[in-house]
């Protein structure tokens, strides 16, 4: 019969743990917004929306929603019988892509406002980011043929390079123009973001991509990354920006 790559009880427990972490983070971030005047709460609003979205997505995954089984035919090398295949049935948690398509633009908005990027640059970074997530979704599903799958993956990686370019080059230049304090904070938190985000396509490559990592292993890897990229990033941003008046936003 087909090889089955499915979540087990341990994976489901991990999903529940992350759900709870995201709910707590959302409560803490909204509580923190009371410490600043109402005109200065945009970072709190954005960052709370990020963890609320993640909490909803983890609730879906923990209760068995936002997931579907993907069937892949794997061809075997066999000199005597041409075209021997086995089937792999693997669960793909598409709820992640719904989460990422909302939360990664919001994370970029946080960083863009911190740096003081202009509207055109923010728009390019966010559109490239959405293209990255949607083509990543195509890579996960449109993959009866391997070249097609890695083709989508390559397109997503190019879009990711556009995102990085905007942060590393334009974002840094704008932050520098604001002040030394803003600049060093931006370099630190954008550098952290770059390292954490770059781990996602690596995990994808060994999980959904080549199916070497089990579904439980994939859940654990993304759990660690999601906690770093959302609650840890968020608490760092909210506590630090409050001490740097130049990061205030005039809207
Ligand atoms: C995919 C696969 C295709 C290639 C690339 C990817 C990048 C994903 C990234 C995700 C970041 C997610 C975050 C989530 C929430 O906290 C879609 C995995 C480049 C960068 C930060």
């Amino acid at each position: 019969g087909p090889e089955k790559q499915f979540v087990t009880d341990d994976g489901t427990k991990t999903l529940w743990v992350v759900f709870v972490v995201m709910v707590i983070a959302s409560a803490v971030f909204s509580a923190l917004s009371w410490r600043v005047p109402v005109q200065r709460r945009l970072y709190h609003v954005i960052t709370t929306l990020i963890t609320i979205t993640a909490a909803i997505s983890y609730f879906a995954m923990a209760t068995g929603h936002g997931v579907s089984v993907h069937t892949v035919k794997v061809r075997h090398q066999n000199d005597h019988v041409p075209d021997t295949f086995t089937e792999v049935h693997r669960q793909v948690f598409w709820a992640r892509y719904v989460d990422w398509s909302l939360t990664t633009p919001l994370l970029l908005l946080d960083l863009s406002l911190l740096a003081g990027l202009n509207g055109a640059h923010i728009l390019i970074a966010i559109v490239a980011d959405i293209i990255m997530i949607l083509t990543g979704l195509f890579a996960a599903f449109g993959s009866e043929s391997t070249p097609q799958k890695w083709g989508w993956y390559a397109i997503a990686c190019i879009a990711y390079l556009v995102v990085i370019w905007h942060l590393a080059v334009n974002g840094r230049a704008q932050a520098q123009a604001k002040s030394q304090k803003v600049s060093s904070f931006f370099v630190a938190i954008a550098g952290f973001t770059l390292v954490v985000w770059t781990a996602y396509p690596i995990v994808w490559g060994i999980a959904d991509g080549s199916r070497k990592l089990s579904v439980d292993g994939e859940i654990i890897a993304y759990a660690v990354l999601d906690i770093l990229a959302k609650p840890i990033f968020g608490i760092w941003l909210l506590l630090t920006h409050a001490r740097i008046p130049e990061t205030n936003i005039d809207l």
Side-chain angles (χ1 to χ4, degrees), residues 50-209:
I50 291 168
T51 49
I52 288 177
T53 306
I56 293 169
S57 154
Y58 269 92
F59 182 81
M61 295 191 288
T63 55
H65 292 155
V67 58
S68 52
V69 179
H70 190 207
T71 303
V72 200
K73 286 199 175 88
V74 180
R75 182 185 239 112
H76 290 281
Q77 299 300 331
N78 187 325
D79 294 338
H80 306 293
V81 191
D83 293 334
T84 351
F85 296 101
T86 47
E87 277 191 353
V88 178
H89 292 187
R90 184 180 174 102
Q91 284 181 316
V92 176
F93 284 90
W94 53 261
R96 294 190 189 287
Y97 298 86
V98 178
D99 169 337
W100 296 346
S101 68
L102 296 167
T103 57
T104 54
L106 290 170
L107 287 162
L108 288 177
L109 190 58
D110 260 342
L111 289 170
S112 301
L113 293 170
L114 185 68
L117 274 187
N118 68 41
H121 280 148
I122 297 179
L123 186 65
I124 295 171
I126 286 180
V127 170
D129 177 87
I130 293 171
I131 291 173
M132 170 186 87
I133 301 298
L134 293 183
T135 53
L137 179 64
F138 283 9
F141 279 100
S143 54
E144 276 310 312
S145 92
T146 299
Q148 184 189 28
K149 165 163 69 178
W150 294 106
W152 282 121
Y153 182 82
I155 294 170
C157 287
I158 293 167
Y160 181 46
L161 291 178
V162 174
V163 174
I164 293 176
W165 173 267
H166 271 80
L167 286 187
V169 179
N170 299 322
R172 208 163 44 148
Q174 287 303 308
Q176 214 139 32
K178 271 192 176 181
S179 81
Q180 184 50 50
K181 249 187 173 172
V182 177
S183 170
S184 42
F185 178 45
F186 180 80
V187 168
I189 198 164
F192 170 81
T193 300
L194 181 66
V195 172
V196 173
W197 283 39
T198 301
Y200 282 85
I202 297 171
V203 169
W204 193 96
I206 52 179
D208 272 334

Side-chain angles (χ1 to χ4, degrees), residues 30-45:
S30 15
L32 281 176
S33 74
W34 269 273
R35 301 186 345 151
V36 299
V38 71
Q39 310 89 308
R40 290 188 44 203
R41 287 183 185 162
L42 188 53
Y43 293 110
H44 299 75
V45 171

